[in-house]
Amino acid sequence: MHPHEAAPGGSLVVVIAMLAAVAVYVGPAVANRRQRPWPAYRSVLWSAGIACLGIAAAPGLTGQVTSFVGHTVDHILVGMLAPLLIALSAPVTLALRTLDPVPARRISRLLGRRAVRFVTHPITALVLYAGGMWALYTTDIFRSMHENTLLAALVHVHFFFAGYLFTAAVAAVDPTPHRHRHAYRAVVLAAALAAHGILAKFLFAHPPAGVSGSSAEAGSMLMYYAGDAIDAVLIVVVCGQWFRATRPRAAATPRRPLIRFPQPSDR
Amino acid sequence: MPTDEQYQNRRRNLLSGIVVGVGVAGFVDEVVFHQLLHWHHFYDRSTPDIGLVSDGIFHAVSWFATVGGMFLLADLYRRRGVWWTRWTAGLLLGAGAFQLFDGTVQHKLFGLHQIRYEVDLLPYDVAWNVAAAALIVVAVVLLLRTHRASASRK
């Protein structure tokens, strides 16, 4: 028996959607090569992010319907890993660079709107992201989403967009209406890291409705350690941006050799 | 005597050391005592909710500190401003203060978890907190030395 027999049509739709999403990004990136080369690694990041979404969306691939561990794998793929990879691929920068002036100007005007500024603010993004996680696992939404396919889809859409907003606000690779200081973004990131760690440990002891103790323990440990690994990447990105931004001017610090041997003039 | 760059970056050397020290102490605690020795655990079910929250914040801060502190050190390095004595003082101070806080406030005052279970705790508590105090004493000695070296610039 074929393992994907449950919904062969569903898998086909997912594959087509993935290919389309990759083409939308990689097409302009490659076509634009002659004017200003777009780094290939960004296309790889985008494609990997889309692949994460595809794996999570493919019916029954991660066992999300049957086990809490499968659900956690989905949670990490959709809400953390895909947003990270996609945010680092700088899709807004690519769009502004490759689109015609009129739609490009429309995008940058949209980014300046007050509502968009509010939603993309690091603290708003943090509340949407961490608040959404807490709301899902500590209320009846978690139980309901296993009975209602539409609700399950909505939850995953929220996971992805909240995760993307948060990652983009903290990592700030794309142009944002107002870029916050590194220390500010670092504190918001640490708060998210704490919220995630506390939730994972909380679920370890208090399984969500309808989840057995042992699978809650396995799932929450996965959530804890995978969350740490992904947050470590974000920490390195934020610190690396700070490191580049505070590079001392050549004039301010005269270059000295790392090891200075005694010179005759020292005497 | 410190160079100009070392002297100008004396605060940053201390800060970077402290930040890495907190991170390393948190990391060692988690890896050695939680994961390798299994003396105390991922989450102790009998602990109150405040333990959960403080642990989570502590973990987030120490995880961030480990990475951020190394970037601070890299920044000092490119400024030719690394002052190892002062940096090491910060490292020991951060690690010692973290361990002392863990051993007194978290273990004893809040009773979140103990070092181990089903044994006489006294020798463990003494070893833990004396080790923390020793780190702080060495840190203070090193700090005083860099102070004296700074003063000799005048």
Side-chain angles (χ1 to χ4, degrees):
Chain A
M1 278 285 146
H2 198 267
H4 289 300
E5 215 170 50
S11 298
L12 191 64
V13 170
V14 169
V15 169
I16 291 170
M18 277 169 64
L19 290 176
V22 169
V24 163
Y25 183 100
V26 176
V30 172
N32 196 40
R33 241 201 165 91
R34 243 169 272 157
Q35 302 165 17
R36 248 197 285 176
W38 183 253
Y41 79 89
R42 291 214 197 270
S43 296
V44 174
L45 288 171
W46 170 272
S47 309
I50 297 298
C52 289
L53 293 178
I55 291 167
L61 202 58
T62 53
Q64 64 267 54
V65 191
T66 46
S67 78
F68 186 62
V69 176
H71 167 84
T72 309
V73 172
D74 271 10
H75 163 145
I76 292 160
L77 287 173
V78 174
M80 299 190 81
L81 194 52
L84 175 70
L85 295 166
I86 290 176
L88 294 184
S89 78
V92 179
T93 308
L94 179 67
L96 291 176
R97 220 186 246 194
T98 53
L99 284 174
D100 288 331
V102 176
R105 222 170 290 142
R106 221 171 271 156
I107 289 179
S108 59
R109 216 177 305 138
L110 182 73
L111 287 175
R113 286 263 172 81
R114 189 172 292 221
V116 177
R117 291 177 73 126
F118 174 75
V119 173
T120 56
H121 190 280
I123 299 215
T124 317
L126 172 67
V127 170
L128 287 173
Y129 177 62
M133 283 190 304
W134 278 87
L136 173 67
Y137 293 112
T138 56
T139 65
D140 258 354
I141 302 174
F142 185 74
R143 194 206 298 267
S144 316
M145 79 177 259
H146 292 299
E147 289 150 12
N148 189 334
T149 326
L150 183 66
L151 182 66
L154 276 177
V155 164
H156 280 101
V157 168
H158 174 85
F159 257 179
F160 174 73
F161 281 104
Y164 179 79
L165 277 179
F166 174 76
T167 312
V170 167
V173 174
D174 269 330
T176 44
H178 177 83
R179 186 164 302 203
H180 292 80
R181 290 172 48 224
H182 297 102
Y184 191 97
R185 291 190 270 133
V187 169
V188 171
L189 176 53
L193 182 50
H196 202 256
I198 293 167
L199 179 65
K201 286 195 181 185
F202 179 83
L203 293 180
F204 188 85
H206 308 94
V211 174
S212 77
S214 59
S215 66
E217 287 181 10
S220 59
M221 282 178 89
L222 178 64
M223 189 194 281
Y224 187 82
Y225 290 113
D228 265 9
I230 290 169
D231 284 327
V233 177
L234 271 175
I235 294 171
V236 170
V237 169
V238 174
C239 291
Q241 288 174 351
W242 169 83
F243 191 70
R244 242 174 294 132
T246 56
R247 181 185 312 150
R249 297 263 183 82
T253 14
R255 286 195 78 74
R256 275 194 187 186
L258 282 175
I259 301 166
R260 190 171 171 276
F261 294 104
Q263 301 294 314
S265 57
D266 285 352
R267 263 177 260 141
Chain B
M1 209 171 91
T3 64
D4 287 352
E5 288 87 355
Q6 286 176 324
Y7 183 72
Q8 281 157 15
N9 289 299
R10 60 197 184 281
R11 285 205 188 91
R12 189 163 277 194
N13 268 288
L14 186 62
L15 176 72
S16 167
I18 290 175
V19 167
V20 175
V22 169
V24 166
F27 188 73
V28 167
D29 181 28
E30 236 176 285
V31 170
V32 176
F33 295 103
H34 291 237
Q35 289 162 9
L36 293 178
L37 293 174
H38 289 256
W39 278 6
H40 46 247
H41 276 282
F42 185 68
Y43 175 60
D44 189 350
R45 277 168 195 252
S46 64
T47 59
D49 284 346
I50 189 166
L52 188 63
V53 174
S54 79
D55 253 16
I57 293 167
F58 241 134
H59 175 71
V61 170
S62 68
W63 194 223
F64 213 109
T66 312
V67 179
M70 294 311 283
F71 268 96
L72 279 173
L73 180 62
D75 180 58
L76 287 168
Y77 195 74
R78 75 179 169 188
R79 289 169 194 272
R80 307 281 190 269
V82 180
W83 186 355
W84 283 115
T85 315
R86 210 163 157 77
W87 191 85
T88 309
L91 179 82
L92 299 176
L93 190 64
F98 177 93
Q99 200 177 329
L100 194 64
F101 180 88
D102 193 33
T104 53
V105 176
Q106 295 221 96
H107 291 179
K108 294 297 148 193
L109 197 66
F110 289 167
L112 299 186
H113 60 253
Q114 301 300 334
I115 299 170
R116 324 185 52 156
Y117 294 89
E118 289 146 13
V119 289
D120 180 15
L121 261 179
L122 188 68
Y124 288 94
D125 279 338
V126 169
W128 188 274
N129 290 314
V130 165
L135 288 174
I136 294 174
V137 168
V138 176
V140 169
V141 169
L142 290 177
L143 266 186
L144 288 176
R145 279 175 60 177
T146 61
H147 263 292
R148 234 170 280 142
S150 299
S152 70
R153 288 170 60 89
K154 285 161 200 162

